[in-house]
Amino acid sequence: MISSLLNNLNYGSILLLMLLESTVIPVPSELVVAPAAYHAASGSLNVVLVVLFATIGADLGASINYFVSLYVGRPVIYKFANSKWGKMCLLNQEKVEKSERYFDDHGVAATLTGRLIPGIRHLISIPAGLARMNYWKFLLYTTIGAGAWHTILAAMGWYLHAMVPEEELEQTIEQYNHYIVIAIVAIVVIGAAWFLLTKSNKK
């Protein structure tokens, strides 16, 4: 089903795929939003709506993770992560614990910065739910973080339209994505350091 949706991108499939990506199902957002923006550059889609529907999908998927975690608790989450179904979703307890450590280290802002970090992005809503973070604050930060990530991917897809033939698009996206991830991680680290320094100076 997922491969069929990837091959027939429209606003509905973009929303659904990003919903899945923000739960525990491994759907690479760079192979959804960037190609959709690539097609938007030719006029078949609207790039603003691509980002909008992708972000709405991410919000919905993240909300599912949040409320499941809020109501079922850590033991059930760990049990699922270690189950056969969890492994099919490329999930394990170590990954969940990693997202929890990131949330503990960065506080509620982790739901914003975590949306930009591979391996954390689709799981950061789990510790937010476990910690009973205020839902509306969680949703706001998730929207900003997901919107920023999707805007970056859309800009990449739009830019590649003038340079890369469609049959080479996926390979080129994976190549560019590596550099984007490095840049984003550097930005997040610098931002976190600045925040901690500012907080320390205030004290």
Side-chain angles (χ1 to χ4, degrees), residues 76-175:
V76 177
I77 295 294
Y78 284 177
K79 186 175 181 179
F80 173 78
N82 292 323
S83 71
K84 178 179 71 174
W85 294 104
K87 289 179 172 58
M88 287 176 63
C89 295
L90 305 181
L91 193 62
N92 56 48
Q93 184 173 328
E94 183 181 353
K95 289 182 178 179
V96 177
E97 290 176 340
K98 181 180 178 181
S99 69
E100 288 190 86
R101 286 194 298 272
Y102 185 86
F103 185 88
D104 290 340
D105 290 343
H106 297 84
V108 295
T111 54
L112 191 161
T113 58
R115 297 296 310 184
L116 303 172
I117 300 178
I120 297 291
R121 182 165 56 243
H122 66 299
L123 297 178
I124 195 62
S125 48
I126 292 176
L130 292 174
R132 298 183 175 274
M133 177 181 175
N134 177 275
Y135 174 70
W136 297 110
K137 183 179 289 187
F138 162 79
L139 186 62
L140 174 63
Y141 285 5
T142 298
T143 301
I144 295 171
W149 174 241
H150 295 148
T151 299
I152 291 168
L153 293 179
M156 178 173 66
W158 186 279
Y159 171 73
L160 291 177
H161 182 267
M163 300 174 53
V164 178
E166 189 168 357
E167 59 271 17
E168 298 177 15
L169 180 60
E170 183 174 335
Q171 179 183 354
T172 307
I173 287 172
E174 291 175 353
Q175 177 187 344

Side-chain angles (χ1 to χ4, degrees), residues 2-203:
I2 290 177
S3 59
S4 174
L5 290 171
L6 286 169
N7 292 326
N8 297 279
L9 289 174
N10 53 51
Y11 302 125
S13 62
I14 292 167
L15 186 150
L16 179 57
L17 287 166
M18 289 301 90
L19 183 155
L20 296 175
E21 192 254 358
S22 285
T23 55
V24 294
I25 299 174
V27 178
S29 53
E30 57 269 24
L31 297 182
V32 177
V33 179
Y38 181 94
H39 294 302
S42 66
S44 56
L45 293 170
N46 182 297
V47 71
V48 175
L49 292 180
V50 167
V51 173
L52 176 63
F53 278 92
T55 303
I56 291 172
D59 283 346
L60 292 173
S63 294
I64 291 172
N65 272 7
Y66 173 91
F67 284 112
V68 168
S69 303
L70 178 68
Y71 289 113
V72 306
R74 187 174 284 102
V76 177
I77 295 294
Y78 284 177
K79 186 175 181 179
F80 173 78
N82 292 323
S83 71
K84 178 179 71 174
W85 294 104
K87 289 179 172 58
M88 287 176 63
C89 295
L90 305 181
L91 193 62
N92 56 48
Q93 184 173 328
E94 183 181 353
K95 289 182 178 179
V96 177
E97 290 176 340
K98 181 180 178 181
S99 69
E100 288 190 86
R101 286 194 298 272
Y102 185 86
F103 185 88
D104 290 340
D105 290 343
H106 297 84
V108 295
T111 54
L112 191 161
T113 58
R115 297 296 310 184
L116 303 172
I117 300 178
I120 297 291
R121 182 165 56 243
H122 66 299
L123 297 178
I124 195 62
S125 48
I126 292 176
L130 292 174
R132 298 183 175 274
M133 177 181 175
N134 177 275
Y135 174 70
W136 297 110
K137 183 179 289 187
F138 162 79
L139 186 62
L140 174 63
Y141 285 5
T142 298
T143 301
I144 295 171
W149 174 241
H150 295 148
T151 299
I152 291 168
L153 293 179
M156 178 173 66
W158 186 279
Y159 171 73
L160 291 177
H161 182 267
M163 300 174 53
V164 178
E166 189 168 357
E167 59 271 17
E168 298 177 15
L169 180 60
E170 183 174 335
Q171 179 183 354
T172 307
I173 287 172
E174 291 175 353
Q175 177 187 344
Y176 273 69
N177 188 57
H178 175 71
Y179 296 109
I180 288 175
V181 166
I182 292 174
I184 287 175
V185 170
I187 291 169
V188 170
V189 169
I190 292 169
W194 177 84
F195 174 79
L196 291 173
L197 184 62
T198 303
K199 191 174 182 181
S200 176
N201 288 337
K202 285 182 178 179
K203 285 184 179 180

